[in-house]
Amino acid sequence: MPELAEVEYFRKRWDPGLGAVIHRVHVHPQARVFRRVSIPDLIRALTSARLTVSESAGKQMLFRTDREGWLGIHLGMTGSLEHRPVDAPIGRADHLVLEQRERQLVFIDPRMFGAVKFSSGREAPVWWSSIPPAILSDDFTVGAVTEFLTRRGKAPIKAVLLMQERFPGVGNWMADEILWRAAIHPKAKAGGLSPAEIRTLHRECRWVARHALRIIGNTFEDPPSSWLFPHRWEDGGRCPRTGVLLKREDVGGRTTCWSPARQTLREAK
DNA sequence: TCCTATGTTGTATG
DNA sequence: ACATACAACATAGG
């Protein structure tokens, strides 16, 4: 389920454990989510460490302790974080459990497209330091978006919005929501947008990120019916602004939903 | 049974 | 080297 705001919601699920010591680490070693990590290193580094802070950037989460080392969690398609009572049983999709005196901090991921990362050392690892500026930061500029859209000029804008190297945290539903608000057809070539359309796109990226974080990031509520969000999967779903039937089709390899009344495809040359 | 799924990556092709 | 397209990953739920 996780895009920008869902990741932020799940990151906070471990907040009750910040400041407390991890006295035992339980892993499900054959789980695919550990495919790039040394499990012995991870266990050695986390056992008896005090969890101190967490951050997220795009879809990536980072947890730190009072020791050196960088624990990363990516939720993939079906991952989530929870805290549970100390005596809770461990389920088959529970891949990483940090046991503390008063709770367990659990990473769950049935489909295992997610990932646990662990890097030692003082310097931030590339998987963390290379994440581009957040959409809500001052460095997410119209100029940066324009340059990126030019370089990816032949790809459909829907596919380009999903590229984490420029739009960190944007996923399938956010991309559709942004394009719907910006009144841009998902199949429009990224290089064919006018400067005015790019400014609108940039503004709607920020708007959707800000309000998704406000609504979903705190309580996991669904956005209201004035958004495309609650209509995009329902059969016979209608555009909340025009009332027309929404269209659903594969674009750039992902199911894409748009309003044919608002988002029209200009003939390219 | 068959279809779908809020993501990333490796590989092939141009 | 760079951009693009798509299969593959693994499981659950309708």
Side-chain angles (χ1 to χ4, degrees), chain A residues 192-203:
Chain A
L193 299 190
S194 70
E197 286 175 315
I198 296 176
R199 280 196 302 276
T200 304
L201 184 76
H202 173 264
R203 186 176 66 239

Side-chain angles (χ1 to χ4, degrees), chain A residues 22-43:
Chain A
I22 298 160
H23 62 72
R24 186 157 166 265
V25 177
H26 174 92
V27 301
H28 187 197
Q30 67 272 43
R32 179 188 145 91
V33 298
F34 293 107
R35 59 198 172 281
R36 280 198 179 88
V37 87
S38 156
I39 291 178
D41 282 358
L42 174 114
I43 292 177

Side-chain angles (χ1 to χ4, degrees), chain A residues 5-16 18 53-57 60-63 75 81:
Chain A
E6 292 90 349
V7 168
E8 189 58 4
Y9 173 82
F10 285 121
R11 179 186 67 80
K12 294 181 202 168
R13 295 312 89 202
W14 279 12
D15 277 359
L18 297 180
V53 293
S54 63
E55 293 178 63
S56 58
Q60 181 65 53
M61 290 180 285
L62 171 69
F63 295 88
L75 297 174
L81 300 189

